[in-house]
Amino acid sequence: MQTDRWQKIEALFHQALERPQQQRAAFLAAVCENDLELLREVESLLGAHQQNGGALETPASDLAADWAKAKQQASPNSVLVVSSSRTEKLKLNQFGSYQVIGKLGKGGMGDVYLAEDLRLRRKVALKLLPAELTNRKEWLRRFELEALAASATNHPNIITIYEIGKIEETHFIAVEYVEGKTLRQMIAAGRLECLTAMDIAAQIAAALSAAHAAGVHHRDIKPENIMVRPDGLVKVLDFGLAKQAKTPSLLTSSNATTAVEVYTAPGMVMGTPQYMSSEQARGLGVDYRTDIFSLGAVLYEMLTGRAAFGGAELIEILAAVAHREPEPLKNLAPEIPDRLSLIVERALKKDREQRFQTAAEFQMALKELKRELEIEALLEQRKSSNWMKRLFARFGKN
Amino acid sequence: MTNPSEQPNVTQLLLAWNDGDEAARDELLPLVYQELHRLAGRYLGRERTGHTLQATALVHEAYLRMVNQQDVNWQNRAHFFAVSAQMMRRILVDHARSRHMAKRGGGAQQVDLEEALVVSDERAAEVVALDDALKSLAQFDERKSRMVELRFFGGLSIEETAEILGVSPGTVMRDWTLAKAWLQREIEKE
């Protein structure tokens, strides 16, 4: 690498770090102008910086200690080895009073396992904080806040936190295990029917309404964080980015893994760009109305099968979220009633003053329209069945 | 080698090196390497339960054993640590490499209890990857590469590192942040 190039990268890296998390993307976009390569370079470094405990977090000294310890651990009593988050291997066994059954997936802050609580004989999803993050106060705090944020609200549409604790050196959260599909999986199978989409959105709005009432903003509403049970009940998951209104800026930091999932280059984005509110994308302060925007974007995607704000590059998406209107719903799904388009548009207003002002209001609008549509469908059905009767009657006469 | 008085040449070599005698450094390297290796081997080789190996402790122990403290100043001390860090890197990387290779060649899959060793094997792979990345970094930013060597392999504190490199602790912290991110990214590319 050229020395001057490296110095430029170095300077930008530090300048970006001095800024609050939400402003970094906008800052870099501004200073890098058309130098996408520079932008990507700095961004990926920031992404790596934010990544939890890498190889360098533990000095080689302790690493040698690992070797010594590994020998000790090879005893029949060794229950659990949580290794680095990148390599994710877990010795499946008993973890405290939980019997680990298998791996469910990877969350923003660690792996998630399906386990059985041997005391209460129920299945739980066990989230383990990777060992190397435990030493980092910020992550530990975020991990605990995540549990706190979710448990602050007791609502059927919000995942229930059963227990938070520490076994040996591993911090964990045990949460309700939800069988079903993520909304992402559902959308991947094709766009959803109007009424289904509205029902799911209304349930998410109900969850948000409860969370907001408890002073919690979710801030990362997206299809991956929504589970739909086979019986249609919706559960909002992952309060990993949630922020309690009172809590200072600690939680504004990004969910690096989320960003990585979306881009090929590791990003440094807070929340997930496609579902970020315009104020979030512009690095402005956010309040609970950010969730309303995100839910609008999710509803849009359920109805059309594609993201409201797309783009190949991070900047493009951020720019789209901040300044561009999404393609009108009608163009993508002509069967969508105008009244529903209006609801989606209202949720996606750039100016949050023009959005639904509360999640409850959003929920109400969806519920009412859903009922209207159902009644209309019913009437339509009657009409047609009457028409059929007349038709049959006429044939009968002949 | 247990008694510093039996090993007066290390102190002398340090002093000579400080006076600009580069050959003294070359003579010093194998001596420090041997001593560190011996000390490390004592920890790594035996199953001494309840004991952990700390590079810092190791380097300090070697220093106390090999150098006559009354005759040296902080610069000599800094030099010694710099050399030790470099040697620690070699020892650990060699160890990691051999472990890594043995694992790759070793056909049979590990089962159950042995999987407890997985952690350290992964770390071993990491150390090897880190060593490679550090070589690349050195090509365009020697100072950061040395700094990582001192901090990571030598286990030295920010202050000690700053002293050795002749920069402020603030600079070390800044460099460390960026170097870590850069290396982390390089390692993950593999």
Side-chain angles (χ1 to χ4, degrees), chain A residues 217-222 225 237-238 241-242 255 258 270-272 275 280 291 294:
Chain A
H217 325 158
H218 188 287
R219 309 200 312 165
D220 198 17
I221 290 291
K222 59 179 175 182
N225 282 340
L237 324 174
D238 213 343
L241 277 190
N255 186 336
T258 302
M270 47 294 146
T272 308
Y275 309 97
Q280 223 172 348
D291 287 341
S294 303

PDB file of all heavy atoms in Angstrom, chain A residues 217-222 225 237-238 241-242 255 258 270-272 275 280 291 294:
ATOM      1  N   HIS A 217     -37.175   1.802  22.650  1.00  0.00           N
ATOM      2  CA  HIS A 217     -37.268   1.802  21.191  1.00  0.00           C
ATOM      3  C   HIS A 217     -36.533   0.567  20.711  1.00  0.00           C
ATOM      4  O   HIS A 217     -35.441   0.304  21.183  1.00  0.00           O
ATOM      5  CB  HIS A 217     -36.561   2.982  20.504  1.00  0.00           C
ATOM      6  CG  HIS A 217     -36.614   4.265  21.238  1.00  0.00           C
ATOM      7  ND1 HIS A 217     -35.705   5.271  21.030  1.00  0.00           N
ATOM      8  CD2 HIS A 217     -37.475   4.710  22.173  1.00  0.00           C
ATOM      9  CE1 HIS A 217     -36.001   6.279  21.805  1.00  0.00           C
ATOM     10  NE2 HIS A 217     -37.055   5.966  22.513  1.00  0.00           N
ATOM     11  N   HIS A 218     -37.079  -0.117  19.760  1.00  0.00           N
ATOM     12  CA  HIS A 218     -36.418  -1.316  19.283  1.00  0.00           C
ATOM     13  C   HIS A 218     -35.241  -0.958  18.385  1.00  0.00           C
ATOM     14  O   HIS A 218     -34.135  -1.442  18.550  1.00  0.00           O
ATOM     15  CB  HIS A 218     -37.410  -2.198  18.526  1.00  0.00           C
ATOM     16  CG  HIS A 218     -36.865  -3.538  18.155  1.00  0.00           C
ATOM     17  ND1 HIS A 218     -35.929  -3.693  17.158  1.00  0.00           N
ATOM     18  CD2 HIS A 218     -37.092  -4.771  18.661  1.00  0.00           C
ATOM     19  CE1 HIS A 218     -35.633  -4.984  17.064  1.00  0.00           C
ATOM     20  NE2 HIS A 218     -36.314  -5.653  17.960  1.00  0.00           N
ATOM     21  N   ARG A 219     -35.476  -0.112  17.414  1.00  0.00           N
ATOM     22  CA  ARG A 219     -34.467   0.434  16.523  1.00  0.00           C
ATOM     23  C   ARG A 219     -33.865  -0.532  15.506  1.00  0.00           C
ATOM     24  O   ARG A 219     -32.950  -0.168  14.770  1.00  0.00           O
ATOM     25  CB  ARG A 219     -33.326   1.090  17.305  1.00  0.00           C
ATOM     26  CG  ARG A 219     -33.851   2.072  18.330  1.00  0.00           C
ATOM     27  CD  ARG A 219     -32.817   3.026  18.745  1.00  0.00           C
ATOM     28  NE  ARG A 219     -31.587   2.343  19.068  1.00  0.00           N
ATOM     29  CZ  ARG A 219     -30.438   2.942  19.182  1.00  0.00           C
ATOM     30  NH1 ARG A 219     -30.349   4.227  18.969  1.00  0.00           N
ATOM     31  NH2 ARG A 219     -29.363   2.258  19.502  1.00  0.00           N
ATOM     32  N   ASP A 220     -34.290  -1.761  15.494  1.00  0.00           N
ATOM     33  CA  ASP A 220     -33.775  -2.654  14.460  1.00  0.00           C
ATOM     34  C   ASP A 220     -34.891  -3.579  13.994  1.00  0.00           C
ATOM     35  O   ASP A 220     -34.720  -4.780  13.891  1.00  0.00           O
ATOM     36  CB  ASP A 220     -32.568  -3.441  14.978  1.00  0.00           C
ATOM     37  CG  ASP A 220     -31.739  -4.048  13.847  1.00  0.00           C
ATOM     38  OD1 ASP A 220     -31.903  -3.611  12.683  1.00  0.00           O
ATOM     39  OD2 ASP A 220     -30.950  -4.963  14.112  1.00  0.00           O
ATOM     40  N   ILE A 221     -36.038  -2.974  13.723  1.00  0.00           N
ATOM     41  CA  ILE A 221     -37.165  -3.753  13.207  1.00  0.00           C
ATOM     42  C   ILE A 221     -36.852  -4.133  11.759  1.00  0.00           C
ATOM     43  O   ILE A 221     -36.583  -3.274  10.927  1.00  0.00           O
ATOM     44  CB  ILE A 221     -38.465  -2.915  13.274  1.00  0.00           C
ATOM     45  CG1 ILE A 221     -38.902  -2.725  14.722  1.00  0.00           C
ATOM     46  CG2 ILE A 221     -39.580  -3.553  12.454  1.00  0.00           C
ATOM     47  CD1 ILE A 221     -39.396  -3.980  15.415  1.00  0.00           C
ATOM     48  N   LYS A 222     -36.832  -5.424  11.503  1.00  0.00           N
ATOM     49  CA  LYS A 222     -36.569  -5.914  10.153  1.00  0.00           C
ATOM     50  C   LYS A 222     -37.081  -7.345  10.070  1.00  0.00           C
ATOM     51  O   LYS A 222     -37.323  -7.973  11.099  1.00  0.00           O
ATOM     52  CB  LYS A 222     -35.072  -5.862   9.857  1.00  0.00           C
ATOM     53  CG  LYS A 222     -34.248  -6.692  10.821  1.00  0.00           C
ATOM     54  CD  LYS A 222     -32.790  -6.626  10.491  1.00  0.00           C
ATOM     55  CE  LYS A 222     -31.972  -7.358  11.540  1.00  0.00           C
ATOM     56  NZ  LYS A 222     -30.547  -7.294  11.293  1.00  0.00           N
ATOM     57  N   ASN A 225     -35.947 -10.122  12.366  1.00  0.00           N
ATOM     58  CA  ASN A 225     -36.233 -10.035  13.793  1.00  0.00           C
ATOM     59  C   ASN A 225     -37.688 -10.305  14.141  1.00  0.00           C
ATOM     60  O   ASN A 225     -38.113 -10.036  15.251  1.00  0.00           O
ATOM     61  CB  ASN A 225     -35.836  -8.650  14.323  1.00  0.00           C
ATOM     62  CG  ASN A 225     -34.343  -8.538  14.532  1.00  0.00           C
ATOM     63  OD1 ASN A 225     -33.668  -9.562  14.632  1.00  0.00           O
ATOM     64  ND2 ASN A 225     -33.833  -7.337  14.603  1.00  0.00           N
ATOM     65  N   LEU A 237     -38.403 -10.122  18.091  1.00  0.00           N
ATOM     66  CA  LEU A 237     -37.198 -10.593  18.778  1.00  0.00           C
ATOM     67  C   LEU A 237     -36.115  -9.532  18.795  1.00  0.00           C
ATOM     68  O   LEU A 237     -36.244  -8.492  18.179  1.00  0.00           O
ATOM     69  CB  LEU A 237     -36.562 -11.793  18.046  1.00  0.00           C
ATOM     70  CG  LEU A 237     -37.367 -12.849  17.356  1.00  0.00           C
ATOM     71  CD1 LEU A 237     -36.395 -13.757  16.636  1.00  0.00           C
ATOM     72  CD2 LEU A 237     -38.145 -13.619  18.384  1.00  0.00           C
ATOM     73  N   ASP A 238     -35.052  -9.923  19.419  1.00  0.00           N
ATOM     74  CA  ASP A 238     -33.798  -9.213  19.306  1.00  0.00           C
ATOM     75  C   ASP A 238     -33.856  -7.739  19.657  1.00  0.00           C
ATOM     76  O   ASP A 238     -33.912  -6.868  18.797  1.00  0.00           O
ATOM     77  CB  ASP A 238     -33.237  -9.367  17.888  1.00  0.00           C
ATOM     78  CG  ASP A 238     -31.725  -9.389  17.926  1.00  0.00           C
ATOM     79  OD1 ASP A 238     -31.168  -8.959  18.960  1.00  0.00           O
ATOM     80  OD2 ASP A 238     -31.103  -9.838  16.964  1.00  0.00           O
ATOM     81  N   LEU A 241     -30.397  -3.993  19.832  1.00  0.00           N
ATOM     82  CA  LEU A 241     -30.082  -2.592  19.537  1.00  0.00           C
ATOM     83  C   LEU A 241     -31.029  -1.657  20.263  1.00  0.00           C
ATOM     84  O   LEU A 241     -30.948  -0.448  20.109  1.00  0.00           O
ATOM     85  CB  LEU A 241     -30.219  -2.321  18.036  1.00  0.00           C
ATOM     86  CG  LEU A 241     -29.056  -2.671  17.147  1.00  0.00           C
ATOM     87  CD1 LEU A 241     -29.303  -2.099  15.777  1.00  0.00           C
ATOM     88  CD2 LEU A 241     -27.760  -2.120  17.705  1.00  0.00           C
ATOM     89  N   ALA A 242     -31.912  -2.263  21.019  1.00  0.00           N
ATOM     90  CA  ALA A 242     -32.938  -1.449  21.654  1.00  0.00           C
ATOM     91  C   ALA A 242     -32.315  -0.418  22.569  1.00  0.00           C
ATOM     92  O   ALA A 242     -31.229  -0.599  23.100  1.00  0.00           O
ATOM     93  CB  ALA A 242     -33.873  -2.333  22.446  1.00  0.00           C
ATOM     94  N   ASN A 255     -24.713  -2.824  15.196  1.00  0.00           N
ATOM     95  CA  ASN A 255     -24.693  -4.262  15.236  1.00  0.00           C
ATOM     96  C   ASN A 255     -23.886  -4.683  14.018  1.00  0.00           C
ATOM     97  O   ASN A 255     -24.417  -4.843  12.938  1.00  0.00           O
ATOM     98  CB  ASN A 255     -26.133  -4.731  15.125  1.00  0.00           C
ATOM     99  CG  ASN A 255     -26.219  -6.215  15.303  1.00  0.00           C
ATOM    100  OD1 ASN A 255     -25.238  -6.917  15.067  1.00  0.00           O
ATOM    101  ND2 ASN A 255     -27.359  -6.691  15.695  1.00  0.00           N
ATOM    102  N   THR A 258     -24.975  -7.578  11.826  1.00  0.00           N
ATOM    103  CA  THR A 258     -26.143  -7.302  11.006  1.00  0.00           C
ATOM    104  C   THR A 258     -25.703  -6.688   9.694  1.00  0.00           C
ATOM    105  O   THR A 258     -26.121  -7.091   8.624  1.00  0.00           O
ATOM    106  CB  THR A 258     -27.070  -6.306  11.719  1.00  0.00           C
ATOM    107  OG1 THR A 258     -27.442  -6.851  12.950  1.00  0.00           O
ATOM    108  CG2 THR A 258     -28.294  -6.032  10.885  1.00  0.00           C
ATOM    109  N   MET A 270     -25.484   1.343  11.887  1.00  0.00           N
ATOM    110  CA  MET A 270     -26.310   1.038  13.047  1.00  0.00           C
ATOM    111  C   MET A 270     -27.677   0.642  12.521  1.00  0.00           C
ATOM    112  O   MET A 270     -28.198   1.266  11.621  1.00  0.00           O
ATOM    113  CB  MET A 270     -26.405   2.237  13.977  1.00  0.00           C
ATOM    114  CG  MET A 270     -26.710   3.548  13.303  1.00  0.00           C
ATOM    115  SD  MET A 270     -25.381   4.103  12.191  1.00  0.00           S
ATOM    116  CE  MET A 270     -26.290   4.898  10.918  1.00  0.00           C
ATOM    117  N   GLY A 271     -28.202  -0.402  13.093  1.00  0.00           N
ATOM    118  CA  GLY A 271     -29.458  -0.883  12.552  1.00  0.00           C
ATOM    119  C   GLY A 271     -29.157  -1.525  11.221  1.00  0.00           C
ATOM    120  O   GLY A 271     -28.023  -1.826  10.906  1.00  0.00           O
ATOM    121  N   THR A 272     -30.171  -1.739  10.427  1.00  0.00           N
ATOM    122  CA  THR A 272     -29.956  -2.354   9.135  1.00  0.00           C
ATOM    123  C   THR A 272     -30.426  -1.349   8.103  1.00  0.00           C
ATOM    124  O   THR A 272     -31.569  -0.927   8.149  1.00  0.00           O
ATOM    125  CB  THR A 272     -30.768  -3.654   9.043  1.00  0.00           C
ATOM    126  OG1 THR A 272     -30.432  -4.424  10.195  1.00  0.00           O
ATOM    127  CG2 THR A 272     -30.434  -4.430   7.803  1.00  0.00           C
ATOM    128  N   TYR A 275     -33.926  -0.796   6.536  1.00  0.00           N
ATOM    129  CA  TYR A 275     -35.094  -0.582   7.391  1.00  0.00           C
ATOM    130  C   TYR A 275     -34.886   0.591   8.341  1.00  0.00           C
ATOM    131  O   TYR A 275     -35.641   0.792   9.271  1.00  0.00           O
ATOM    132  CB  TYR A 275     -35.421  -1.870   8.170  1.00  0.00           C
ATOM    133  CG  TYR A 275     -35.513  -3.039   7.232  1.00  0.00           C
ATOM    134  CD1 TYR A 275     -34.428  -3.890   7.048  1.00  0.00           C
ATOM    135  CD2 TYR A 275     -36.649  -3.223   6.455  1.00  0.00           C
ATOM    136  CE1 TYR A 275     -34.486  -4.921   6.128  1.00  0.00           C
ATOM    137  CE2 TYR A 275     -36.713  -4.251   5.537  1.00  0.00           C
ATOM    138  CZ  TYR A 275     -35.627  -5.098   5.372  1.00  0.00           C
ATOM    139  OH  TYR A 275     -35.691  -6.103   4.460  1.00  0.00           O
ATOM    140  N   GLN A 280     -32.430   8.203  11.042  1.00  0.00           N
ATOM    141  CA  GLN A 280     -31.352   7.297  11.454  1.00  0.00           C
ATOM    142  C   GLN A 280     -30.264   7.288  10.376  1.00  0.00           C
ATOM    143  O   GLN A 280     -29.081   7.360  10.672  1.00  0.00           O
ATOM    144  CB  GLN A 280     -31.927   5.884  11.593  1.00  0.00           C
ATOM    145  CG  GLN A 280     -31.468   5.118  12.805  1.00  0.00           C
ATOM    146  CD  GLN A 280     -32.251   3.810  12.955  1.00  0.00           C
ATOM    147  OE1 GLN A 280     -33.267   3.573  12.297  1.00  0.00           O
ATOM    148  NE2 GLN A 280     -31.763   2.952  13.832  1.00  0.00           N
ATOM    149  N   ASP A 291     -39.050   3.493  14.788  1.00  0.00           N
ATOM    150  CA  ASP A 291     -39.610   2.146  14.663  1.00  0.00           C
ATOM    151  C   ASP A 291     -40.818   2.126  13.723  1.00  0.00           C
ATOM    152  O   ASP A 291     -41.067   1.137  13.045  1.00  0.00           O
ATOM    153  CB  ASP A 291     -40.043   1.613  16.039  1.00  0.00           C
ATOM    154  CG  ASP A 291     -38.853   1.241  16.920  1.00  0.00           C
ATOM    155  OD1 ASP A 291     -37.751   1.041  16.372  1.00  0.00           O
ATOM    156  OD2 ASP A 291     -39.025   1.153  18.152  1.00  0.00           O
ATOM    157  N   SER A 294     -39.471   2.033  10.224  1.00  0.00           N
ATOM    158  CA  SER A 294     -38.935   0.699   9.924  1.00  0.00           C
ATOM    159  C   SER A 294     -40.063  -0.306   9.681  1.00  0.00           C
ATOM    160  O   SER A 294     -39.987  -1.129   8.768  1.00  0.00           O
ATOM    161  CB  SER A 294     -38.058   0.205  11.074  1.00  0.00           C
ATOM    162  OG  SER A 294     -37.016   1.114  11.314  1.00  0.00           O
TER     163      SER A 294
END
